[in-house]
Amino acid sequence: MATSKEHSLESIMRLSKSELLQGGKFKDFLNELVPIVCSSLSAYRTSFWLYRPEKDEFECIQSFDMETNNSSIDKAPDSTAFPSFYKKLKKELFIYVDSSDDSKDLEEFIVDQMLKNRLRSWAGIQVWNDSRLFGVLAVEWKANKDFVNLDQLVMVTAASMISQCYDALIRLKEDFLHRNEVNTLRVEEKEKEKLAKKLSDHAFYTSHSIRHPLSTILALIDLIKLNWESRETYEELLQQLKIETMNLDDAIRVMTAKIELD
């Protein structure tokens, strides 16, 4: 029988078929994803912080409060107030902070951010896109959180979907610009149009059906490195890695068949 934790992961995985995700509707998809992550992890609040490299700071663009059951846009903690915490946030793939942690690097964040807001636990996972830090998915609890491997998998999967949705948005913009360029040049040859459509279809399929399991596989590899000494966690991560590898293999087979048919 599946546990409630496993059901939580399943609720996140179902979003892989979301039309908002596939359509690159980035903000709408965040509005759909963030509350589900919050509920799945029994959290007080979940937020997505977009990284602004030109300012070297994070900007909260989506947040969900479980107590009020409302989405909002809250401010991310001031980077100048917690320099050690932000340095750690930009350096490490995954961070878990407990209010009883006695780490000097986290002391200011725990006292001035967590305890002042009656938080007992905090977790964050980096979201990467196009080989750069894109943002952080942050989760907060008002009770001490027994953070287990399936909780990490929920956050890894959610982070992967955020990156995938942004990829879809960029590719749709590129496709729009390409189509405008084609119209401007008044390309009339039907064979060229047919070929362009085939290439666009193949690129769209590759982006949405192959990049997702690939992104998840890369994230799982990072988690395996973090949990190398825990045999139980290692085995669970390895099983999830096997499933994602099989998903990637299926996607490649379908893509190959589509190319052969064309």
Side-chain angles (χ1 to χ4, degrees):
M1 180 179 295
T3 66
S4 59
K5 291 287 186 182
E6 289 170 336
H7 283 309
S8 296
L9 182 58
E10 289 174 4
S11 66
I12 296 294
M13 293 301 295
R14 280 196 291 270
L15 287 179
S16 63
K17 298 180 180 179
S18 167
E19 293 182 0
L20 299 176
L21 170 63
Q22 304 297 339
K25 298 185 182 300
F26 188 66
K27 290 188 176 181
D28 290 336
F29 179 68
L30 282 179
N31 193 46
E32 180 180 36
L33 172 71
V34 170
I36 293 178
V37 173
C38 197
S39 175
S40 297
L41 297 177
S42 301
Y44 153 62
R45 181 166 55 200
T46 300
S47 308
F48 177 67
W49 302 347
L50 183 68
Y51 181 57
R52 300 290 191 185
E54 70 279 3
K55 297 180 179 179
D56 192 26
E57 64 182 25
F58 291 94
E59 175 189 349
C60 180
I61 62 172
Q62 183 63 50
S63 184
F64 179 80
D65 187 316
M66 185 62 73
E67 290 183 350
T68 62
N69 197 36
N70 284 324
S71 295
S72 61
I73 300 178
D74 297 323
K75 287 186 177 180
D78 187 356
S79 60
T80 59
F82 311 110
S84 297
F85 169 73
Y86 268 83
K87 182 178 180 181
K88 193 178 184 73
L89 196 62
K90 291 186 292 182
K91 181 180 179 181
E92 299 183 16
L93 172 69
F94 177 81
I95 299 177
Y96 173 72
V97 184
D98 186 272
S99 60
S100 62
D101 196 325
D102 59 1
S103 170
K104 291 295 183 182
D105 290 343
L106 298 172
E107 183 177 0
E108 288 182 339
F109 179 74
I110 291 172
V111 173
D112 294 333
Q113 179 65 25
M114 291 181 63
L115 294 182
K116 282 186 177 180
N117 291 285
R118 296 182 290 120
L119 301 176
R120 289 288 177 263
S121 301
W122 188 96
I125 187 167
Q126 292 179 341
V127 177
W128 283 70
N129 184 271
D130 195 24
S131 302
R132 68 179 181 87
L133 178 61
F134 180 64
V136 167
L137 183 64
V139 187
E140 302 167 333
W141 294 268
K142 285 190 173 180
N144 291 327
K145 172 65 176 176
D146 182 19
F147 208 84
V148 298
N149 179 54
L150 278 174
D151 294 325
Q152 285 183 312
L153 287 179
V154 167
M155 293 186 69
V156 167
T157 303
S160 173
M161 288 180 177
I162 291 172
S163 179
Q164 182 189 358
C165 186
Y166 189 72
D167 270 341
L169 172 63
I170 295 302
R171 292 181 183 279
L172 286 170
K173 286 183 177 179
E174 291 175 348
D175 183 61
F176 176 77
L177 292 174
H178 173 69
R179 290 178 185 276
N180 280 349
E181 182 180 352
V182 169
N183 290 335
T184 301
L185 295 174
R186 296 181 181 179
V187 178
E188 297 178 352
E189 299 177 33
K190 291 184 179 180
E191 287 302 317
K192 287 185 178 181
E193 292 179 354
K194 184 178 180 181
L195 178 59
K197 185 178 184 306
K198 286 182 180 179
L199 291 173
S200 178
D201 289 345
H202 291 318
F204 185 85
Y205 180 84
T206 301
S207 171
H208 292 78
S209 298
I210 293 180
R211 288 180 65 87
H212 171 55
L214 181 59
S215 297
T216 304
I217 287 170
L218 293 174
L220 285 168
I221 291 172
D222 286 330
L223 272 179
I224 288 173
K225 292 178 182 177
L226 291 173
N227 294 275
W228 188 262
E229 297 181 356
S230 171
R231 188 64 188 179
E232 181 180 355
T233 300
Y234 172 79
E235 292 292 343
E236 291 177 352
L237 289 170
L238 203 60
Q239 180 63 28
Q240 188 65 25
L241 182 61
K242 181 178 179 181
I243 292 172
E244 290 299 331
T245 303
M246 292 172 65
N247 290 339
L248 178 60
D249 182 62
D250 289 342
I252 291 174
R253 290 175 186 273
V254 173
M255 184 184 70
T256 302
K258 284 171 62 66
I259 293 174
E260 290 177 351
L261 287 174
D262 287 342

